[in-house]
Amino acid sequence: MSRVFFFIQEAFRALRRNAAPSTAAIVTTGVTVILLGVLIPIFQTAQAKSNQVRGQLNFQVALYADATKAEMSSLGDALQEIPHVDKVEFVSKAMALEELKEDLGKDKARELTSQLSENPLPASFRIIPDDAANLSAIRAAIVPTGPNGKPKPISPIVEKIFDRQDESQKIEQVTGALKIVLTVIMALLLIASLMLVGNTIRLSIYTRRREIEVMRLVGATRWFIRWPFMIEGVVVGFTGGLVAILILWLGKITIVDPLSSSIAVFDAQNNSTLTFPALIGVLFCAAVLVSAAGSGVTLRRFLKV
């Protein structure tokens, strides 16, 4: 137990001796944790919205007007058997017209229907995939390429396919770019914290190099020398993480919570897979681990005694 107190005392003595770099390391760790605390919910919100939109992507197989009930029933069964098809819904001409009216709004729908003598919309099957990434594969299965190299539908009553392939590709591109940007930002923040904590430990080692040499001469083990520096790094991470978490908590109760009822983006319960306490726990552990890792890397490279 006396050794533990000795290590802690030495760590705090080194922090006081190197007040300026230690403060810089704490500030950098705190800023990193704050930015991670903001970026992680943003990433989760974007991912949730992307999945929500992707889940609504589908395409419709329009049918010829002279298709019989037996042919439509047979096609419906065939569509359901295609791999990656989650659900097949039949949309009659009347249902298609009602959906169009809902999309256009009451005024435009009234103007449109007043000019129509009959319903021009075809009956169709709405294909809902298990994943938006499989839309192209399902389309290819419905309209495969024939022996002559031309597309041939799986049923003669298939007139046309209305899909949203462009929307699916755009969503994939935006989501992928967002993931890359946020990953790069988080990696740079972590590297900056590692480097600054490492520089603080290296400066502490340099100022105590004579003391370390004496400790080695009297038989102190390497770990006996390393423990104060490791504790120093953990204290930096603990302090920086604690300050950052306090700021994030204040931001939550003053900004996020009041706006969550009116702005869906701020609704953490709907848009985030991590609750706020869980997020705080992850960030706090990350701050301590990153600082400890910075200390360990620096000790391994520079503590050559």
Side-chain angles (χ1 to χ4, degrees), residues 2-303:
S2 60
R3 280 192 174 187
V4 174
F5 285 114
F6 171 76
F7 293 150
I8 295 174
Q9 183 180 4
E10 288 296 305
F12 278 96
R13 184 162 67 92
L15 287 171
R16 288 194 301 269
R17 184 180 298 175
N18 304 306
S22 298
T23 303
I26 291 172
V27 171
T28 302
T29 303
V31 171
T32 301
V33 173
I34 291 172
L35 291 177
L36 288 177
V38 174
L39 290 176
I40 290 175
I42 289 175
F43 179 82
Q44 290 183 313
T45 299
Q47 186 69 27
K49 289 297 182 182
S50 173
N51 292 336
Q52 181 180 354
V53 175
R54 283 164 54 87
Q56 296 174 352
L57 289 178
N58 56 70
F59 63 86
Q60 292 184 241
V61 180
L63 310 178
Y64 284 107
D66 58 353
T68 65
K69 291 185 178 181
E71 289 175 326
M72 289 188 288
S73 177
S74 177
L75 176 59
D77 294 337
L79 293 174
Q80 191 66 65
E81 295 298 323
I82 295 176
H84 304 297
V85 171
D86 182 55
K87 190 176 180 181
V88 176
E89 297 177 350
F90 177 72
V91 181
S92 65
K93 292 170 64 70
M95 292 171 60
L97 184 59
E98 289 300 320
E99 290 180 358
L100 179 61
K101 290 179 180 179
E102 291 180 3
D103 293 337
L104 293 177
K106 292 183 179 180
D107 295 335
K108 290 185 178 180
R110 189 181 301 109
E111 180 182 352
L112 176 65
T113 53
S114 63
Q115 299 175 1
L116 296 176
S117 58
E118 61 178 8
N119 185 355
L121 300 177
S124 63
F125 283 103
R126 181 180 292 118
I127 311 298
I128 302 174
D130 55 5
D131 190 287
N134 297 319
L135 283 171
S136 299
I138 298 174
R139 180 189 177 109
I142 297 174
V143 187
T145 303
N148 57 356
K150 295 182 178 180
K152 183 179 180 181
I154 59 175
S155 173
I157 65 172
V158 175
E159 180 182 8
K160 189 177 181 181
I161 292 181
F162 300 94
D163 63 7
R164 297 180 178 179
Q165 190 171 4
D166 293 339
E167 287 87 343
S168 177
Q169 292 177 351
K170 289 179 181 179
I171 291 173
E172 292 283 350
Q173 292 172 357
V174 171
T175 304
L178 181 63
K179 288 180 179 179
I180 293 173
V181 171
L182 293 180
T183 301
V184 170
I185 292 174
M186 285 189 254
L188 291 176
L189 290 172
L190 292 176
I191 291 172
S193 295
L194 284 170
M195 292 179 64
L196 205 54
V197 173
N199 286 335
T200 302
I201 302 301
R202 180 169 57 179
L203 183 59
S204 180
I205 293 171
Y206 181 78
T207 58
R208 297 169 59 190
R209 63 189 184 281
R210 298 297 183 188
E211 181 182 340
I212 293 172
E213 291 176 2
V214 172
M215 293 174 66
R216 288 294 292 161
L217 289 174
V218 298
T221 62
R222 289 182 180 272
W223 274 109
F224 186 88
I225 299 173
R226 285 173 176 166
W227 273 118
F229 298 106
M230 295 293 293
I231 294 174
E232 185 178 344
V234 171
V235 170
V236 168
F238 182 89
T239 307
L242 197 62
V243 173
I245 288 169
L246 178 61
I247 294 174
L248 289 173
W249 178 74
L250 291 174
K252 178 180 183 298
I253 63 175
T254 58
I255 299 175
V256 177
D257 289 347
L259 294 177
S260 61
S261 59
S262 57
I263 302 178
V265 169
F266 290 98
D267 191 351
Q269 293 182 347
N270 294 334
N271 296 324
S272 177
T273 58
L274 277 178
T275 61
F276 185 73
L279 177 63
I280 291 302
V282 170
L283 293 174
F284 190 76
C285 292
V288 174
L289 290 176
V290 167
S291 297
S295 301
V297 171
T298 304
L299 286 168
R300 185 176 180 182
R301 292 182 56 189
F302 297 102
L303 190 56

